[in-house]
Amino acid sequence: MSTVLELKAVQRHYDQGEEHLAILADADFSLSSGEMVALVAPSGAGKSTLLHLAGLLERPNAGDVVLNGRACGALGDDERTAIRRNEVGFVYQFHHLLPEFTALENVMMPQMVRGLDRTEAARRAAQLLDYMRVGSRAQHRPSELSGGEQQRVAIARAVANAPSLLLADEPTGNLDPDTAVYVFEALEALVRQSGLAALIATHNHDLAARMDRRVTLSGGKIVPL
């Protein structure tokens, strides 16, 4: 397995007036291809901040984020955007699908932004929707889909550009328990078969226990749970 993500002595803090809020303090972490890691921590502990740093949506105050061997801390905004588009997939608690487009079109979008032609983007989107077991719903808009279907479409969209890293922030948090398990199993199968590296923030301890390992945030560090 190759190392996909490394956080090296990462620091992240926010200054609000006279208040200094430290989220990460010399935090180290690594994630390998084909590995699923659960990030379990209370609300407000900094899970979303960690995911944003890992996905190059935020910059650390110190330290570096390394993706596939490339140090990203000193890169310009255009380079970071290109890496996000090509190498990182995001899944959130709420699907954030574009309501005016069909499921197929939603999965086509990131591919066309990357420069793929419409025919090839549609072919690949259809394959991904079939893989996520929502192929029969390809021509339906998000409002016509169930919560579990919406989230499976969102996962298909997240991996449409074949990223090496998948970051998920409470991907089953808005679903009932049975649907949450169903969506997780689809996500797990995708990670195992594609070799993705996946960091998944979750409050669901049953699902966390099914991943390769669990980590939490404590004292600004990323530590085993």
Side-chain angles (χ1 to χ4, degrees), residues 38-49:
L39 174 59
V40 183
S43 295
K47 297 190 301 295
S48 294
T49 296

Side-chain angles (χ1 to χ4, degrees), residues 153-209:
V153 173
I155 292 169
R157 180 183 59 183
V159 300
N161 282 336
S164 56
L165 174 64
L166 182 68
L167 302 170
D169 196 353
E170 298 288 350
T172 63
N174 201 37
L175 305 174
D176 66 78
D178 289 341
T179 303
V181 170
Y182 189 72
V183 169
F184 175 81
E185 288 175 346
L187 177 59
E188 182 180 29
L190 181 67
V191 170
R192 302 304 185 197
Q193 294 187 27
S194 66
L196 271 167
L199 178 60
I200 302 173
T202 181
H203 281 110
N204 188 320
H205 288 272
D206 291 335
L207 295 184

Side-chain angles (χ1 to χ4, degrees), residues 36-40 205 208-209 211-216 223-225:
M36 293 183 76
V37 174
L39 174 59
V40 183
H205 288 272
M211 300 190 214
D212 298 311
R213 55 191 171 102
R214 296 173 296 162
V215 298
T216 190
V223 298
L225 186 63

Side-chain angles (χ1 to χ4, degrees), residues 105-119:
E105 290 167 337
N106 267 278
V107 181
M108 289 170 61
M109 289 292 179
Q111 301 177 74
M112 294 175 68
V113 169
R114 189 177 182 180
L116 209 62
D117 70 78
R118 186 177 183 86
T119 300

Side-chain angles (χ1 to χ4, degrees), residues 120-132:
E120 180 61 19
R123 184 192 67 79
R124 178 166 170 75
Q127 286 182 336
L128 285 167
L129 291 174
D130 283 341
Y131 186 86
M132 296 302 294

Side-chain angles (χ1 to χ4, degrees), residues 71-103:
C72 298
L75 296 180
D77 289 342
D78 289 346
E79 290 176 292
R80 289 167 63 88
T81 297
I83 291 172
R84 274 200 308 274
R85 183 175 61 240
N86 299 330
E87 299 183 32
V88 184
F90 295 91
V91 182
Y92 298 98
Q93 179 174 351
F94 300 99
H95 56 79
H96 297 301
L97 298 172
L98 298 171
E100 65 271 30
F101 295 103
T102 65

